[in-house]
Amino acid sequence: MAGLALIAVLAIWGWHRMGAHHATVKPSAGSGSDFAKKHVEARTLDRASVAGTIRDQDGKPIVGARVCADASNLPHELVRDPSCIASDAQGAYVIANLYAAEYSVAAMAPQYLPESFHPDSDDDLDVFSLRAGEHRTRVDISLLRGGVEVRGNVSDVSGGQIVHASVRARAISQKHSWPTTETDDAGAFSLWVAVGDVMVSASADGYAEGFDFGRAPGKVKILLTPESSVSGTVVDAKTNEPVADVTVQAGGPGGGSDMTDEQGHFNVTRITPGRYTLFARSPHGYGHSDGSSLVGLGQHVTGIAVKLYPAFQVSGRIVEPGPSRPTCKQSWLQLHQAKPTRSLQATRDADGALHVDGVLPGTYEVTATCNGFIRRATYPAITITDKDVAHLEWDVDAGAELHGRVLKAGLPVEGATITVQPAGSTTSRKDGSYKLSGIRQGSYVVSVQSDHGVSPTGGWKIDVHTTTVEKDLVLDQAGTINGVVVAADGSPVEGVSITATSEPDGMPVSFGGFPMRSGEDGRFVLEGVRPGSVRVTAHRGWGEELRAPGTNDDATQGERVTVVAGHTASVRLVVESQSAEIKGTCADTDGKPITDAYVSAARESDAAGSQRSSIMETRWSWENRPTLTSTDGTFRLGELSPGSYTVRAERKGGGEAFAEHVAAGTSVSLVFKPTGQIDGLVHSAGGALDELTISLHDDKTGLARDEEFFRTGGAFAIRDIPAGHFTITASAGGGKKQITLDLADGEHKKIDVQLDSLVTLTGRIVEFGTTTPVPGILMTAALGDNLDPGSISRRDNTSDATGHFTIKNAPSGMVRLFGFAPDPASDYDSVETVRKIDGSGAIDLGDISILKRRLKPDETEGELGVHWVEQPYGTPAEQQRYEISWIDPNGAAAKSELKLGDVVTTVDGIDVQGANHRRGYTLMTAPPGTKLALGLARGATTTVVLRAPH
């Protein structure tokens, strides 16, 4: 549930910078821009160049600095790799043979911080336009000392090292990428970057791109998959003639794009195995393939036909305030259609003009953003009928500016992340200065994350009531943790993730979005740690906690350490040996080896009440890197802890096999059985069936597929499906329907689906126990767990000052209603309930009550001292319950009458069963000393006093 709320909060993050006015709209018919022509002409126009010098902070030339020019606003295949060169003995460089486009130029050298060229000395701008035939000079860059090294290697998924791979790093806290380097003859590389979180990516001829996340300084490992490709032809839907200059995007796990040639042919290369849907878009055309195509390991799928239907273009500009009404150069535009749900991003030209190609008829809401300004609460919707809509203008307003410096002991702090909640975030510059513009007047909480120090507890509360507010942010002294991870025999454990959390509240206390990893000697250093009692734990990836020898998953793992400002604490983590392995084979039902299967494993929890399955974890952990089967179908999974595992193998999108309860140190045989197919016809509920989405999900195995069909008359086919019990949701036009069915191995099942009409749901959010209206709660409606992203992005889903909300285009049937406060400072928690929705049109749900939070953001959470029986994935909300699986012998519950197996039905007299399950979490999340009256299914009521963490 927390993950769902986080996704929703991210989806609406940008809303907080809105005003309350309207746009200037000047619609007219137009012939569209010459955007497609620009893409084609880039290959034929005169080439350009950039030149400059690379110097250090003292003005001395840097020899051998790596300088790279990255192009944008061109087809991916033209600018996939940057153009790079080394500076000469005078620090000079020239990068020639460049297309006319927008560019960013950056430089990197050992011991230095990487830096970009900033036109007009504007630190917030690192992009400039390069015209055809232009030879731009004085693209000079000054590098500061203080870079740290990220080392690593690039290898094939089969284990071989890849030489001359192109590798680059990107700081998570910054917008731009740094220059590339190449792997040596051993597949190794070295990059010099700023301290902090980095994403390191690699590409090479014959391979799809791969990446890894980490902390700098540090070490990463990147695995590349032999490239696959998909090719075909885009044809006019009416004449069946090929269409040139159409952008084709491959939607899937490793998507790429291409532009069709004169014969309408496209070839999307460097993609990873999986299922891909091909989307075609031109200024006046749109279409996509019928469902997805399976692309195997190293496979080159050909013959995909995509029909292009008539569509239109929306174009205009975002206008900054002022007498001259200048065009915003750093702008973003999104069109959102509610039914069917569709979000379209605009392309920005060098002059700031915006255009959205291939827009189908319909009505679209507009979100217009200009960096440094406030976007307005609403803009007039755009209705597309039978022609382009051009020359639109969307006004933004000047907002307040918050600026100052980040300091520590009087010295500037560079690279600190300043978060102004809820306005946005920025990064401090070399002199410690920061600036965040386009802020609405109001009250904000400001916090800073940095390796150099910590914000005061609770951050800084800043009132913005004038056009400019200056505030220096002085960091408090932080502490450091030096640690080592070893196995029981004392041998170092390399490459495991380390996290440090505050003992009272479990919140992270060290800077960085990505965990630090232990080195080859098992050692790690955590800097910028907030003083206090801290628990340090080791993880395999982001999920599995590494246990101390002789413990289980009900025990608290990690070690407690006291961190003192300005001092270094030491910690030694002793974990179970990571030397176990699981071997096995993958074969089909005839015993033929499967040579292109990806195999992964995740340890099954041995906590009391766990489901003893971890198949979901084999799907979702990005750090759980799969192993490719060998030519004889064998595989080996190493570096495992003792215990039982769920092992799963998949042929990316084309069948899978899994085994549960596989003990480490044993072997397992995985048999791929024939896959099946579900096809049929969807019948309209009154709306158009132009765009049909079929979602398929198996709650037991976690297998999920979303397939899209365009103008097929409701016909669909979903292929390559393993056996299972599936929930299928069909959505199109004005209707939606959810059904369940079982599919046997190799079975081909045909179904007809009659869509139910969509409805409008209204209601009122009120405080529990009263009729006090609660504003600011964003409500969504879904069939089961099938959350509609469109319902999150609609502003009118949020309760107003009277508590009223509206959910348009909501499904019928057993509908799960979920709401939460996007504002983390809200006094209210989330709310969840289930309603049977019958009827049509507008349906009033009446009052829906929501509980106040019992725990304030800066308070310590008290412990009940119990664990609950894990609910199977996909358990309907109305069947959720709190059943005790474990009682901490030293916890609060041990002193009460609670027993193993007790089911809590009420908390303080409030029902927490079934659809009211979410209330239990709210009521039991409270400070130490809170008395809870727990009503039990066996008829008793017992009182438990929450205790402080121990």
Side-chain angles (χ1 to χ4, degrees), residues 13 173 402-407 413-421 423-429 432-436 439 445-450 455 460 462 471-473 475 511:
W13 173 81
S173 62
L402 174 64
H403 67 269
R405 293 198 301 164
V406 181
L407 302 170
V413 176
E414 180 188 7
T417 299
I418 301 97
T419 301
V420 183
Q421 182 66 32
S425 62
T426 187
T427 304
S428 61
R429 301 172 180 144
S433 64
Y434 73 92
K435 180 178 70 175
L436 191 65
I439 303 176
V445 175
V446 180
S447 60
V448 175
Q449 286 187 313
S450 170
S455 306
W460 295 270
I462 297 176
K471 175 67 177 178
D472 286 347
L473 307 174
L475 300 182
F511 176 53

Side-chain angles (χ1 to χ4, degrees), residues 582 597-603 614-615 617-621 624-628 635 637 640 645-650 652 657-659 670:
I582 293 175
Y598 288 81
V599 188
S600 60
R603 186 174 59 80
S614 56
I615 191 167
E617 286 75 8
T618 67
R619 297 186 187 277
W620 306 128
S621 176
N624 186 11
R625 303 182 184 190
T627 295
L628 183 66
F635 64 86
L637 301 170
L640 302 178
Y645 286 78
T646 298
V647 182
R648 186 177 64 86
E650 65 171 326
K652 296 289 186 179
F658 68 92
L670 300 177

Side-chain angles (χ1 to χ4, degrees), residues 547-578:
R547 301 175 297 188
T551 65
N552 68 6
D553 289 315
D554 276 318
T556 300
Q557 300 299 332
E559 296 291 339
R560 175 189 291 172
V561 61
T562 299
V563 177
V564 178
H567 292 77
T568 298
S570 298
V571 65
R572 180 181 176 89
L573 302 179
V574 182
V575 301
E576 294 174 317
S577 170
Q578 302 293 292

Side-chain angles (χ1 to χ4, degrees), residues 185-272:
D185 291 341
F189 65 87
S190 171
L191 294 162
W192 289 86
V193 301
V195 172
D197 293 331
V198 292
M199 181 184 81
V200 184
S201 60
S203 61
D205 289 340
Y207 291 90
E209 187 176 45
F211 64 91
D212 192 12
F213 291 101
R215 293 273 294 162
K219 185 178 179 181
V220 298
K221 297 179 181 179
I222 302 176
L223 301 179
L224 299 188
T225 301
E227 75 166 323
S228 303
S229 68
V230 57
S231 63
T233 305
V234 176
V235 299
D236 186 286
K238 185 176 181 179
T239 65
N240 217 36
E241 292 295 320
V243 185
D245 306 333
V246 177
T247 298
V248 179
Q249 180 76 38
S257 65
D258 192 18
M259 180 168 283
T260 58
D261 59 20
E262 293 300 322
Q263 289 74 46
H265 182 75
F266 64 88
N267 185 26
V268 182
T269 60
R270 291 193 186 183
I271 62 176
T272 57

